[in-house]
Amino acid sequence: MAVYPPVAAREDLLRRLPSGARLTRPAKWHVTLAFLGELSRGTDEVADTLATVPAPPAFPLRLSGGGRFGSVVWAGLTGNRKALTSLRESVRLALDNAGFPIDPRPFRPHLTVSYRAEPGVLPALESYTGPSWPVTSFALVESVLGNYHTLHEWPLPTSPTT
């Protein structure tokens, strides 16, 4: 399950990173809400479960700062992280109640930029603050041969000010 920043937010980040750096493909840049791994049951059952998640109102986020997990370099998030964490917890609870175990590591919202400690990437992220964008949906995503495919997407209600 993932939240995707809009193209404009991904392009802004890409422009700030060193050219020539080995990055993950910007089309794949997302914030993971929950990771299931290989499923013993079908994705339709997962989708049915996720359809029961209460949809919070859309909320703002922005890519800002960065850090590392070992050699993985990531962009951080600011904005309404409380709403993001609440959405993640609703997703986790629904999946857990339906018998779909997710990765048990603590939720640390981030967007993976590179799987290598590329020179210049981390310093560029440390001073980066991107444009704000509204989270208007979350998606069930499948990885096939390194490419991500959105299987289902659930919209979040928007208000006139979102």
Side-chain angles (χ1 to χ4, degrees), residues 1 3 14 23-24 38 57 85-87 99 111 115 119 122 145 162:
M1 281 47 65
V3 167
L14 183 60
L23 307 172
T24 57
E38 292 294 319
T85 300
S86 178
L87 174 59
L111 182 147
Y115 289 106
L122 192 55
L145 300 174
T162 305

Side-chain angles (χ1 to χ4, degrees), residues 135-157:
V135 174
T136 57
S137 65
F138 69 99
L140 173 61
V141 179
E142 178 181 47
S143 176
V144 177
L145 300 174
N147 296 304
Y148 294 167
H149 304 279
T150 298
L151 301 178
H152 296 278
E153 190 169 13
W154 294 269
L156 305 181

Side-chain angles (χ1 to χ4, degrees), residues 3 33 55-62 78-88 132-138 156-159 162:
V3 167
L33 296 175
F59 54 92
L61 287 179
R62 80 174 59 225
T78 60
N80 195 340
R81 286 178 49 126
K82 183 176 180 181
L84 179 65
T85 300
S86 178
L87 174 59
R88 191 278 186 178
S132 181
W133 44 275
V135 174
T136 57
S137 65
F138 69 99
L156 305 181
T158 58
S159 68
T162 305

Side-chain angles (χ1 to χ4, degrees), residues 1 36-50 52 93-102 140-142 151-152:
M1 281 47 65
L36 290 172
E38 292 294 319
L39 293 173
S40 60
R41 294 160 40 197
T43 57
D44 287 341
E45 289 181 60
V46 175
D48 290 344
T49 297
L50 293 172
T52 69
L93 188 60
L95 291 170
D96 190 55
N97 288 340
F100 292 104
I102 65 169
L140 173 61
V141 179
E142 178 181 47
L151 301 178
H152 296 278

Side-chain angles (χ1 to χ4, degrees), residues 57-125:
F59 54 92
L61 287 179
R62 80 174 59 225
L63 298 169
S64 182
R68 286 180 41 186
F69 302 131
S71 63
V72 173
V73 180
W74 48 266
L77 295 160
T78 60
N80 195 340
R81 286 178 49 126
K82 183 176 180 181
L84 179 65
T85 300
S86 178
L87 174 59
R88 191 278 186 178
E89 185 58 19
S90 295
V91 166
R92 186 203 63 77
L93 188 60
L95 291 170
D96 190 55
N97 288 340
F100 292 104
I102 65 169
D103 184 336
R105 290 180 284 188
F107 183 54
R108 295 167 133 184
H110 67 281
L111 182 147
T112 299
V113 173
S114 178
Y115 289 106
R116 296 180 173 93
E118 285 284 309
V121 173
L122 192 55
L125 287 170

